[in-house]
Amino acid sequence: MISKEKAIQIAKEYAQKSEKGWDEKYHEAEKTILSGEPAWIISTSDIKYNDELPWMMEHFPNPVYYYISMVDGICIAIGNRRNELQRIDGK
């Protein structure tokens, strides 16, 4: 089983790799079960700097959820709402 801190790091790396956005000031982790598999839900926001509208991205970010498998240590799903997610990596 991977730790909360490791799950946050995996989520951050996935966000950077996929250019989904990551808020350094806000991210939380909680345990869940996803399709019978223990997972971490990492909550953050999609804050990204934008040259055209930097104030908008900072003041109105969207929530983002990364689902990290506690078993495999990979990002298995992402979503913008708690109960609406998209499976990734063929899972």
Side-chain angles (χ1 to χ4, degrees):
M1 297 279 185
I2 65 166
S3 68
K4 177 172 105 171
E5 293 76 20
K6 180 67 175 167
I8 290 171
Q9 185 60 36
I10 292 167
K12 180 179 178 179
E13 289 170 3
Y14 181 83
Q16 291 170 340
K17 180 178 80 174
S18 61
E19 299 180 353
K20 298 285 185 196
W22 182 263
D23 187 346
E24 286 293 337
K25 296 177 187 171
Y26 166 75
H27 44 274
E28 295 179 344
E30 67 180 84
K31 295 178 182 179
T32 192
I33 300 292
L34 187 61
S35 300
E37 180 178 346
W40 288 101
I41 301 174
I42 310 301
S43 324
T44 189
S45 62
D46 68 350
I47 195 163
K48 294 183 201 176
Y49 182 78
N50 181 327
D51 287 327
E52 295 173 12
L53 296 172
W55 62 270
M56 186 174 185
M57 296 310 292
E58 181 144 346
H59 296 288
F60 300 109
N62 296 309
V64 172
Y65 301 97
Y66 297 99
Y67 296 80
I68 308 299
S69 167
M70 287 186 186
V71 177
D72 298 330
I74 60 171
C75 186
I76 55 175
I78 58 172
N80 288 48
R81 291 190 172 84
R82 177 78 62 163
N83 296 321
E84 296 177 16
L85 56 97
Q86 175 183 355
R87 295 289 240 167
I88 54 176
D89 292 336
K91 293 211 170 208

